[in-house]
Amino acid sequence: MVCFLYANSSLLRAECQYLDYNIREYTKRRTLDGFRINKNLSDPSNVEEASAEGKAQLEVVERMLKS
C-alpha cells in the first residue's frame, strides 16, 4: 500500500511542473480519483496491481515533462 501511495503522491508533485493549466488539472484529478477508487483495497494482489498502474502513470508523466 505504501508503494501505491508513494507513486500517486509523486504524481501530484509532478503535475505541479506543468505550465499548461488543463494538463495540470487533468493530472491532478486523475491522481485524486486513483486515491479514491483504491482507498479500500486490502487484497495484496489488488494493491500490487494498483501500485503498478500508479508507477506506470508516473513514468508517462515524467516522460512528458522531459520532452
Side-chain angles (χ1 to χ4, degrees), residues 5-67:
L5 292 175
Y6 176 74
N8 280 319
S9 61
S10 295
L11 275 169
L12 284 174
R13 280 193 301 276
E15 66 90 19
C16 293
Q17 297 175 9
Y18 282 113
L19 297 178
D20 186 1
Y21 173 80
N22 292 326
I23 294 173
R24 194 171 53 239
E25 290 301 309
Y26 173 77
T27 307
K28 182 179 175 182
R29 187 176 67 246
R30 291 278 298 161
T31 303
L32 294 176
D33 287 346
F35 274 120
R36 286 185 200 110
I37 291 169
N38 298 313
K39 71 180 177 182
N40 295 324
L41 290 180
S42 59
D43 184 31
S45 63
N46 289 341
V47 171
E48 281 296 319
E49 185 178 315
S51 176
E53 183 179 336
K55 287 178 185 178
Q57 292 296 322
L58 178 60
E59 290 174 4
V60 169
V61 168
E62 288 176 344
R63 267 196 319 256
M64 291 175 66
L65 285 172
K66 289 180 183 178
S67 55

